[in-house]
Amino acid sequence: MAIFKGLPAEMQDTFMDTLRFFQDGPTFAARAVGSRLELEKVEVSEREKDGRMQARVVFTIVVNEEMLNIANTMHGGCAAYLIDMCSSIAMNVLAQATDKPPFYVSQALNTTFHAPAPLGATLEIVSITTALGTRTASGVTEIWDTTHRRLCVTGVHNKMAPSKSKL
């Protein structure tokens, strides 16, 4: 059961509905991986240094065969997907908590690979928002292999409000 901190009960229910949508949506890529993410913690708090609100979400997942590359470690594309998914959820929860637009589209996703995550490793994915406005949002994510006690991947995700369709 996930631990919620700084999020009113009614927003927790809304957040869980949003999470289920992200995980179980019928057309989402890599649904088999995303649906296995286990939510551990959701925190919304005031950042000490500047007084702005921030969100922190923590997920866990075990590396399985669907996530592997040819070297039997987590594929870089899978890591990018996890960063995209988890950072987007952190931004979404902060948007809900601060009455900002809840959905943005990806503008840039930068990843740095530090160590491989082998089959069977338990990963802890920690996503923290860094900025959230009405037009742009950004966050930082770390993927930790808690089985082998090492940082595997870091990512910075920038998002922007979608433009209106011209069709």
Side-chain angles (χ1 to χ4, degrees):
M1 185 69 170
I3 297 171
F4 288 89
K5 183 178 175 188
L7 204 60
E10 63 275 4
M11 284 190 173
Q12 292 176 25
D13 292 339
T14 301
F15 171 74
M16 291 307 293
D17 289 344
T18 302
L19 176 60
R20 281 188 285 279
F21 174 77
F22 274 114
Q23 290 183 318
D24 301 330
T27 60
F28 291 134
R31 184 173 65 179
V33 173
S35 65
R36 292 189 315 103
L37 284 167
E38 292 290 328
L39 179 65
E40 301 295 332
K41 190 181 291 186
V42 178
E43 298 174 336
V44 176
S45 61
E46 187 176 292
R47 191 167 43 214
E48 188 176 310
K49 295 209 183 271
D50 63 6
R52 293 184 181 257
M53 297 301 289
Q54 70 176 10
R56 179 178 183 267
V57 296
V58 179
F59 288 92
T60 57
I61 192 169
V62 175
V63 177
N64 73 2
E65 292 82 11
E66 296 172 323
M67 301 167 71
L68 299 180
N69 60 21
I70 197 166
N72 281 326
T73 60
M74 182 172 60
H75 191 284
C78 185
Y81 167 75
L82 291 171
I83 291 167
D84 181 15
M85 176 87 150
C86 296
S87 62
S88 293
I89 290 170
M91 291 177 213
N92 185 274
V93 73
L94 183 60
Q96 289 181 40
T98 58
D99 225 11
K100 297 260 176 36
F103 293 106
Y104 300 83
V105 295
S106 294
Q107 186 176 39
L109 180 65
N110 298 306
T111 55
T112 302
F113 299 95
H114 306 285
L119 178 65
T122 298
L123 304 180
E124 180 180 74
I125 305 155
V126 181
S127 292
I128 301 172
T129 59
T130 51
L132 186 100
T134 55
R135 295 180 44 175
T136 63
S138 61
V140 175
T141 300
E142 295 179 338
I143 301 178
W144 287 88
D145 174 348
T146 59
T147 304
H148 301 98
R149 299 186 60 193
R150 61 187 177 196
L151 178 63
C152 294
V153 186
T154 54
V156 176
H157 194 184
N158 295 311
K159 299 186 87 166
M160 62 185 205
S163 59
K164 298 206 186 310
S165 175
K166 296 179 181 177
L167 298 177

